[in-house]
């Protein structure tokens, strides 16, 4: 769980940096900047969660396809959820609203990652 939080925090700092850059320097709307930054953080998070947090080094095509499919489904849900939450707040609360969305979906993500996406396979010798 500690590795999950450290990886998530690192990915989130990268995402927030991208969000602030896109919003303040590229003058994107808060929703568009949030959407683009979300995908930047997401790619980093997937790789680090797989390798560092859950120490899942499996590279079989079937395993990666399953992980990628479930991750994609949860990602789309989290992305829409994030845009909804950010859209509900005013411009002054862009970081607060994005952080709130992140905290909420990080709780259900941990369970899904541990129990489904990066579930450890138990080898049973017969």
């Amino acid at each position: 769980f500690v590795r999950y939080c450290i990886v998530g925090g690192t990915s989130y700092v990268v995402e927030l940096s991208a969000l602030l850059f896109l919003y303040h320097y590229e003058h994107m709307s808060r929703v568009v900047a949030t959407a683009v930054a979300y995908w930047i953080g997401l790619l980093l998070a997937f790789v680090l969660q797989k390798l560092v947090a859950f120490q899942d080094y499996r590279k079989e095509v079937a395993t990666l396809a399953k992980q990628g499919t479930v991750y994609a489904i949860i990602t789309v849900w989290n992305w829409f959820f994030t845009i909804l939450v950010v859209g509900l707040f005013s411009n002054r609360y862009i970081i607060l609203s994005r952080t709130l969305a992140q905290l909420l979906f990080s709780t259900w993500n941990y369970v899904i990652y541990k129990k489904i996406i990066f579930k450890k396979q138990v080898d049973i010798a017969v």
Side-chain angles (χ1 to χ4, degrees):
F1 181 74
V2 172
R3 287 189 309 262
Y4 173 79
C5 291
I6 291 170
V7 165
T10 300
S11 301
Y12 189 57
V13 167
V14 169
E15 179 186 334
L16 279 185
S17 298
L19 170 61
L20 291 172
F21 175 79
L22 295 169
Y23 182 68
H24 289 292
Y25 296 103
E26 296 298 321
H27 307 290
M28 290 183 180
S29 74
R30 63 189 158 93
V31 171
V32 171
T34 300
V36 172
Y38 179 91
W39 291 102
I40 292 169
L42 174 78
L43 293 173
L44 179 63
F46 176 77
V47 171
L48 293 179
Q49 291 296 3
K50 178 174 174 60
L51 299 176
V52 177
F54 294 96
Q55 299 178 335
D56 183 333
Y57 306 110
R58 295 174 289 165
K59 296 182 256 179
E60 299 82 18
V61 173
T63 299
L64 293 173
K66 177 186 172 192
Q67 289 174 336
T69 300
V70 176
Y71 197 81
I73 292 167
I74 192 172
T75 295
V76 169
W77 163 254
N78 290 342
W79 187 71
F80 281 115
F81 179 79
T82 298
I83 299 307
L84 175 70
V85 171
V86 170
L88 292 174
F89 288 82
S90 72
N91 287 341
R92 293 187 305 162
Y93 300 108
I94 189 170
I95 299 299
L96 176 65
S97 59
R98 178 61 187 99
T99 302
L100 175 63
Q102 181 76 37
L103 289 172
L104 291 171
F105 74 65
S106 289
T107 56
W108 66 66
N109 281 0
Y110 179 74
V111 174
I112 293 169
Y113 292 173
K114 185 172 182 161
K115 301 289 185 184
I116 298 172
I117 298 177
F118 303 120
K119 181 179 180 181
K120 298 286 185 198
Q121 299 297 326
V122 179
D123 293 327
I124 301 174
V126 180

